[in-house]
Amino acid sequence: MSGHNKTTTVRRQLGAVLFADVVGYARLMGNDEIDTYSALKSLLEQLETACQAHEGQVVAVRGDGVLALFETATNAVEFGVELHRIAEQSNNARPEDQHLRFRAGVHMGEILVDDRGIHGDNVNIAARLQEIAEPGRVFVSASVYEQIRNRLRFGFEFLGPQRLKNIAEPVAAYCVRSEVAGAAMAATRRPETQQAHRPPPGIPSVAVLPFASLGGEPSDSWFADGLTEDIILNLSKFKNLFVIARNSSFFFKATTMPPQEAARELGVRYVARGSVRRAAARVRIAVELIDAETGRTIWGERYDRNIDDIFAIQDEVTDAIVAATAVLIEAQERKRMAQTAPADLAAYGYVLRGQQYIFRYTRQDNREAQTLYERALARDQDYARASAAISRTMNIDWRYSWAKDAEHALDTALSYAQRAVELDPTDARGFGELGFVHLYRKEHDAAIGAYRRALALNPNDADLLSDYADALAHSGDNQAAIGNLQQAMRLNPYFPDQYLWHLGGAYYNLKQYDAVIDTLTKMNNPTEGQRMLAASYAQLGDMDQARDMAARHREAHPNFSLDRWAKVQPDRLEEDTLHFVEGLKKAGF
């Protein structure tokens, strides 16, 4: 009895708390209790060693979960990323269905410490962030992000304020990605634009929300996603229609937001949504178009057809949305929209599966997408879309130095893009990839020409507009670049950091250094803007800020070489490259 009279001393301390949990642990135990238990035990021992190496301590192991405490947010997040790496490595020796994968959450704040462990609201927040994290990812709170954003060269995607179980106030959260390059390409929200409702443009405007996948396997969602994406693509070819980009529409995949609210967030008048059910050779699709001003459904249709009719259904949906939004479009223009369908439906299936991976922008996912597109081309060697898609994966490989042989990747991308435009001169994608390759081969006129052809075919493609703007800025036409980027940001309200980087480059060329700083400080991945920021501060004579940025850059990019960078820069005007090099040298590079 006397033990109950002991007074436990509780003290407060500041710390970064990490909580990690195995995904689907009960299922794994059900499959093979002994194997799962011993595999997890050995994994936890490795994690404990790694935790100590990152100056942390494992406070508790609860069944399949780890609770760890660190003095700094930097150590906690580095360990979180390392934890996933260690788990992946140990999975290599295990069958796919027995992989042990974690989710992790990190939060920083005051915690209560006693001889039984750590407690308090801030510990609970880390645990709740872990619950909403994707497998293989680390989700962190804004307080952690603020500590690490300029120090660690990881990618960060803002997830918005999250409602967490039993936590009174919403917690702003970020997803950490080990490859920063991909995060700079991925669509993302921005903290300061959360509340901004955008007024609809002066022409009919529409957003197509991701179609729900009903019944069947959860893995079947690639079909519903692909169908949505193709309807967006078909609509975006019409000049007198304003169509929200795929990336921004897909932000609403996981939310149950009413269509009117989604329309307000995206700044459009109409919202289309639907559902898809696939069964053997049949497909059942329901679609409706809602007028956000009145909340009324102005058109609805159900299709119960053979899966072979998928392209006819896409055309009918496109036509109906165009007609319902009262856009007058020449019959001639509609005819031009007809896509060259693949001869083989399985080839189309491979392309849709590839689309699932390509927008994730990681080395592994890009490779996965490439394999699927190659399979599509193997089924139908004249499938222009598959050829353009392979070119895109090669361009991404080159852009982020993921390719072993950089020159080869760019040359291969060129031949696939050329083949795509030969096979189907009405598909914008081939021309877009052609523009990218020509730019980095420093063939400026060919690049601008290819992008203009692409945009004539698809004027609503925000990523195309952004890449075209980058080519314009590198060709010395900065004012036009800025206009195109502003249009891209309106079409894709959750635009990636890359748009800001392109915009900063155009402002820098125009010597509008304050505008550069204002633009780049909005990046969710600030380590990627540090070079241009350092050069801009130096040009303004603010040497303290310039040197501070240069020092942070050295920490995040220890292998940066100014000579190599200057060689790759595809500037038409030598003075633009020299102007940037001058700023970097002033900042201490």
Side-chain angles (χ1 to χ4, degrees):
M1 290 296 289
S2 60
H4 286 290
N5 300 334
K6 275 189 187 162
T7 53
T8 306
T9 55
V10 177
R11 57 193 170 81
R12 289 180 180 278
Q13 77 172 65
L14 189 65
V17 179
L18 175 137
F19 199 91
D21 213 355
V22 175
V23 181
Y25 185 64
R27 177 187 64 78
L28 291 164
M29 286 294 271
N31 288 352
D32 189 336
E33 211 166 358
I34 301 293
D35 175 67
T36 302
Y37 175 76
S38 58
L40 181 61
K41 190 166 178 285
S42 113
L43 191 53
L44 290 174
E45 282 165 11
Q46 287 180 62
L47 293 179
E48 196 147 0
T49 310
C51 182
Q52 285 164 0
H54 286 86
E55 294 171 24
Q57 64 175 109
V58 172
V59 179
V61 175
R62 303 173 185 167
D64 60 330
V66 175
L67 178 62
L69 179 62
F70 300 82
E71 279 181 23
T72 68
T74 304
N75 282 337
V77 173
E78 285 186 322
F79 170 69
V81 172
E82 177 70 359
L83 170 146
H84 291 310
R85 197 192 61 74
I86 291 169
E88 281 309 310
Q89 213 171 3
S90 81
N91 282 334
N92 287 340
R94 297 174 64 73
E96 180 101 16
D97 61 346
Q98 288 169 37
H99 280 189
L100 290 169
R101 300 192 75 200
F102 286 87
R103 320 172 195 273
V106 183
H107 180 55
M108 183 156 196
E110 271 197 2
I111 51 172
L112 303 174
V113 184
D114 64 15
D115 50 13
R116 290 180 304 115
I118 59 176
H119 319 275
D121 237 12
N122 287 322
V123 177
N124 294 339
I125 289 173
R128 298 303 181 207
L129 281 169
Q130 171 274 131
E131 283 172 9
I132 64 164
E134 294 165 17
R137 292 269 190 241
V138 182
F139 278 20
V140 303
S141 63
S143 61
V144 171
Y145 170 74
E146 284 309 321
Q147 293 295 317
I148 61 176
R149 61 196 290 268
N150 270 308
R151 290 198 180 91
L152 294 181
R153 195 168 184 241
F154 291 136
F156 303 105
E157 287 175 32
F158 182 58
L159 304 168
Q162 300 291 316
R163 292 213 161 274
L164 303 176
K165 196 170 145 195
N166 301 338
I167 304 292
E169 293 296 312
V171 174
Y174 289 79
C175 171
V176 179
R177 297 179 47 158
S178 52
E179 285 179 321
V180 69
M185 285 280 281
T188 183
R189 303 174 101 154
R190 288 177 203 284
E192 75 285 2
T193 53
Q194 276 315 96
Q195 305 314 317
H197 288 319
R198 304 162 178 87
I203 58 171
S205 51
V206 65
V208 183
L209 301 185
F211 283 23
S213 179
L214 305 178
E217 293 295 307
S219 60
D220 250 8
S221 74
W222 60 268
F223 186 77
D225 288 354
L227 185 66
T228 310
E229 200 176 306
D230 278 359
I231 290 166
I232 293 171
L233 191 81
N234 286 349
L235 287 168
S236 64
K237 295 173 180 176
F238 293 107
K239 287 187 190 67
N240 20 5
L241 191 58
F242 178 97
V243 185
I244 288 293
R246 173 232 184 258
N247 295 1
S248 289
S249 285
F250 272 70
F251 258 96
F252 295 86
K253 187 173 176 177
T255 62
T256 49
M257 189 182 283
Q260 275 175 286
E261 212 175 304
R264 268 199 304 277
E265 281 237 347
L266 294 167
V268 291
R269 167 92 188 256
Y270 302 99
V271 170
R273 62 176 181 179
S275 63
V276 182
R277 189 189 291 275
R278 258 179 14 125
R282 307 239 3 123
V283 61
R284 187 171 293 166
I285 297 170
V287 195
E288 62 174 341
L289 184 71
I290 296 147
D291 182 338
E293 275 184 21
T294 61
R296 280 188 20 247
T297 295
I298 53 174
W299 168 76
E301 188 67 77
R302 286 179 186 282
Y303 303 90
D304 190 348
R305 303 261 192 88
N306 234 336
I307 200 132
D308 296 357
D309 294 337
I310 194 70
F311 299 107
I313 297 171
Q314 284 176 19
D315 288 344
E316 283 177 46
V317 172
T318 304
D319 276 352
I321 292 174
V322 165
T325 51
V327 186
L328 297 167
I329 285 165
E330 306 288 316
Q332 199 44 43
E333 194 177 343
R334 281 193 194 203
K335 246 197 227 91
R336 184 169 66 73
M337 296 310 150
Q339 283 196 58
T340 314
D344 181 294
L345 201 63
Y348 179 62
Y350 284 129
V351 163
L352 291 193
R353 284 200 172 104
Q355 297 300 91
Q356 268 207 310
Y357 295 100
I358 197 163
F359 290 110
R360 293 183 193 161
Y361 296 111
T362 73
R363 187 191 304 237
Q364 187 53 45
D365 286 314
N366 200 50
R367 179 76 61 255
E368 200 76 46
Q370 197 176 93
T371 304
L372 287 158
Y373 297 143
E374 281 165 354
R375 281 192 197 161
L377 213 52
R379 297 284 309 215
D380 177 359
Q381 60 182 18
D382 294 335
Y383 192 10
R385 180 172 175 182
S387 195
I390 293 173
S391 177
R392 177 151 190 79
T393 60
M394 300 274 181
N395 277 335
I396 292 171
D397 268 349
W398 183 85
R399 190 182 291 206
Y400 296 118
S401 314
W402 293 343
K404 284 187 178 67
D405 178 354
E407 286 317 303
H408 176 68
L410 213 50
D411 290 343
T412 315
L414 177 66
S415 59
Y416 275 108
Q418 284 169 332
R419 175 94 178 116
V421 301
E422 273 165 32
L423 290 167
D424 184 1
T426 67
D427 189 358
R429 280 168 292 217
F431 287 107
E433 298 314 315
L434 211 48
F436 182 87
V437 180
H438 281 311
L439 176 64
Y440 282 91
R441 288 163 63 101
K442 304 188 184 181
E443 297 155 0
H444 295 86
D445 293 336
I448 301 282
Y451 279 129
R452 285 190 179 144
R453 292 274 309 260
L455 287 162
L457 292 164
N458 194 337
N460 284 295
D461 188 320
D463 287 347
L464 254 181
L465 276 164
S466 168
D467 283 347
Y468 172 50
D470 190 42
L472 287 170
H474 283 302
S475 301
D477 195 350
N478 297 290
Q479 227 46 73
I482 291 165
N484 279 287
L485 281 160
Q486 284 162 343
Q487 174 67 355
M489 288 173 178
R490 183 60 191 85
L491 285 163
N492 192 5
Y494 301 138
F495 54 85
D497 272 1
Q498 185 167 300
Y499 290 19
L500 292 170
W501 168 253
H502 288 166
L503 186 58
Y507 283 133
Y508 187 91
N509 288 345
L510 293 169
K511 304 189 176 168
Q512 295 177 16
Y513 306 120
D514 285 319
V516 177
I517 293 163
D518 185 49
T519 301
L520 297 190
T521 45
K522 293 190 179 88
M523 288 174 79
N524 282 342
N525 296 284
T527 58
E528 301 316 279
Q530 287 166 338
R531 276 200 304 277
M532 208 185 288
L533 280 170
S536 300
Y537 283 124
Q539 297 287 19
L540 287 170
D542 186 343
M543 296 316 293
D544 287 346
Q545 285 274 40
R547 287 194 194 101
D548 178 49
M549 267 304 148
R552 287 176 179 195
H553 184 274
R554 271 191 289 279
E555 205 178 318
H557 301 75
N559 300 326
F560 176 69
S561 145
L562 189 51
D563 287 345
R564 193 170 73 231
W565 175 85
K567 275 197 192 80
V568 174
Q569 271 306 92
D571 289 328
R572 188 197 289 258
L573 306 171
E574 199 188 349
E575 67 239 41
D576 282 348
T577 309
L578 294 175
H579 169 217
F580 202 1
V581 169
E582 172 198 54
L584 291 172
K585 283 186 171 163
K586 277 186 190 171
F589 279 86

